[in-house]
Amino acid sequence: MKIDTLNHQAQGIARIGGFVVFVDNVLVDEVVKIKIEEVKKEYARAKLIKILEKSPHRKQPECPYYYLCGGCHLMHAKYQYQLSLKKLLVEDAFRRIGKLNPRINDVIGMEKPFRYRNKTALPVGEDYKNPQIGFYKKMTHDIVDIDYCLIQHEVCDDVIKGMKDLIRKYNIEVYSEKKHQGVLRHIVVRNSFAFNEMMLILVCTKVPEDLENIKKDILNKFPNIKSLYVNLNPKRTNVILGEEDILIWGSNTIKDKIGNLIFEISPKSFFQVNSIQTELLYNQVVKYLRNIDAEVVFDVYSGIGTISMFVAPFCKKVYSIEIVEDAVEDAKKSSKNNGISNIEFICANAEIEIPKLMEKGIIPQVVILDPPRSGCEKALLESLIKQKIPNIIYVSCNPSTLARDSSILCSNGYEIVEVQPVDMFPQTFHVECVVLMSRVDK
């Protein structure tokens, strides 16, 4: 089969008599030998058997776990080609889902597209005699046991090795997802590139036995640790973190930096995983904002206030709206630490809060949206449309939901001025976008 194109998950698409077949680890225009493994009503999945005609953009993956692990998807492609593929994925999402054809700039890439992640969640499996720590195989919950990961901070390699040793030493009962038995489920590591600080979170069904000695060993093994938590998650669920965080040792937050701003990060805080590219991403938001010359800005889904603080010097007032209370508290601390006084932090539903603010005569020239992968709530988009917000800057990590939401806005009085993709996640199919939209008065 010849590979026609790639889908939004970087799977190759081949066609047999018009019937779609998805194939992993291939590139556009390659001719490959495949084996059909699963047939559905509208598509099939196939396994790559052999590459008959290789793409000039193909390379040998640097990672020995690449073809097993589900963490990366494009390491078999040269980096510049990865960027061009991601632009095609964004174009396809707007065209296919949004029925739109906006101006899309080239993707802003990384100078060094490895070792960039400041956060990782490592599932733990097998048993205390032979612990496995790594990532899940593609489309499964089977753990690929690893010794290192080339897209994570180097400290994660030490954590993987060190925690395997501790599991064996203290006979820590490893959680079995199938049996819903055991104690240690995940190890979550957050690293500060700017300050060389680490937060280690042991996700457990209950507090592990011999925790005091485990703590002492962890502190000896990882000298840059600043914060050690046990997170309790006793439920039968795919959600990694449970509701209760117990601080075992150290500070309840770590600090990290984007540009000149310093942020406080707690266990459940959302913070972009690629600090280097985040600065470029937020600079793009600032660029659009300065061209509009806005005085009042609403920052919606604002998390720990990173975008709010980045744009604060370029307008008179920012209203930062976020529903997660812990994130709002982190944002307030960071704002105070950075000496920023023109942000009002509001813990509320944005679709309810925005009309309230406007009824008080607080009219924004710009609303910044930075929703989760699922995109914006429909009620929020309807509120923005009803209030006739003049400009919207939409930051998205999911081209599909971005295209869907853009279509709703463009069908109700808005036009897309520009789309700027940024490669926040090299070696994967993920791509972040910043979109500037303006209201068109008819």
Side-chain angles (χ1 to χ4, degrees), residues 83-99:
L83 299 180
S84 64
L85 284 175
K86 291 187 182 192
K87 183 178 179 180
L88 289 174
L89 296 180
V90 174
E91 289 173 344
D92 177 69
F94 273 101
R95 185 174 57 250
R96 182 173 48 83
I97 299 169
K99 311 300 182 203

Side-chain angles (χ1 to χ4, degrees), residues 54-114:
K54 189 168 73 170
S55 167
H57 305 294
R58 177 175 284 276
K59 67 174 176 64
Q60 181 65 28
E62 290 83 350
C63 175
Y65 311 107
Y66 174 65
Y67 288 114
L68 288 173
C69 175
C72 295
H73 323 97
L74 284 170
M75 205 181 280
H76 61 288
K78 294 174 183 175
Y79 185 57
Q80 287 305 311
Y81 187 61
Q82 289 184 33
L83 299 180
S84 64
L85 284 175
K86 291 187 182 192
K87 183 178 179 180
L88 289 174
L89 296 180
V90 174
E91 289 173 344
D92 177 69
F94 273 101
R95 185 174 57 250
R96 182 173 48 83
I97 299 169
K99 311 300 182 203
L100 299 167
N101 188 29
R103 172 186 164 191
I104 300 174
N105 297 334
D106 290 340
V107 182
I108 299 173
M110 284 195 83
E111 185 181 346
K112 296 177 182 177
F114 291 97

Side-chain angles (χ1 to χ4, degrees), residues 35-51:
K35 180 182 178 183
I36 304 292
E37 293 199 315
E38 182 185 19
V39 180
K40 299 285 189 180
K41 187 177 178 181
E42 296 180 346
Y43 65 89
R45 296 188 190 278
K47 182 181 179 181
L48 175 64
I49 302 299
K50 188 177 181 181
I51 301 168

Side-chain angles (χ1 to χ4, degrees), residues 17 25 29 126 160 177 190 200 274 294-295 300 374 381 396 399 427:
N25 304 317
D29 292 334
E126 203 64 22
I160 291 168
E177 199 174 78
R190 304 194 80 149
L200 187 64
N274 187 335
E295 291 194 356
V300 180
S374 55
L381 297 177
S396 170
Q427 320 307 330

Side-chain angles (χ1 to χ4, degrees), residues 123-255:
V124 185
E126 203 64 22
D127 56 45
Y128 69 84
K129 294 177 184 175
N130 183 33
Q132 294 183 343
I133 299 176
F135 298 103
Y136 293 127
K137 289 181 184 177
K138 292 174 183 174
M139 311 295 289
T140 76
H141 271 210
D142 298 333
I143 295 172
V144 178
D145 189 37
I146 65 173
D147 294 322
Y148 61 91
C149 176
L150 292 176
I151 64 170
Q152 307 292 343
H153 191 291
E154 288 87 347
V155 169
C156 286
D157 303 346
D158 299 331
V159 170
I160 291 168
K161 182 181 182 302
M163 286 307 302
K164 285 180 182 178
D165 292 342
L166 291 182
I167 290 167
R168 294 187 194 101
K169 180 177 178 179
Y170 292 101
N171 297 346
I172 300 172
E173 194 181 352
V174 172
Y175 179 73
S176 167
E177 199 174 78
K178 290 177 182 175
K179 296 177 182 177
H180 188 47
Q181 293 175 354
V183 177
L184 183 59
R185 301 175 67 134
H186 278 81
I187 298 163
V188 177
V189 190
R190 304 194 80 149
N191 289 292
S192 165
F193 281 69
F195 297 100
N196 194 31
E197 296 177 352
M198 181 177 78
M199 176 184 288
L200 187 64
I201 306 166
L202 306 180
V203 183
C204 303
T205 56
K206 61 182 181 179
V207 176
E209 295 177 12
D210 217 356
L211 183 58
E212 189 61 30
N213 287 323
I214 293 170
K215 179 189 81 174
K216 288 175 183 174
D217 270 8
I218 285 174
L219 298 181
N220 288 331
K221 280 180 179 291
F222 313 124
N224 63 331
I225 192 167
K226 190 184 177 185
S227 181
L228 175 61
Y229 278 91
V230 167
N231 171 272
L232 294 183
N233 186 0
K235 295 180 181 177
R236 194 164 204 157
T237 175
N238 289 335
V239 176
I240 294 172
L241 293 177
E243 294 176 8
E244 186 178 359
D245 295 310
I246 304 170
L247 181 65
I248 304 302
W249 178 87
S251 170
N252 58 359
T253 61
I254 60 171
K255 299 190 301 292

Side-chain angles (χ1 to χ4, degrees), residues 308-323:
S308 296
M309 283 176 252
F310 234 77
V311 303
F314 306 101
C315 54
K316 283 188 177 178
K317 184 81 173 184
V318 180
Y319 293 85
S320 183
I321 306 168
E322 167 60 49
I323 198 166

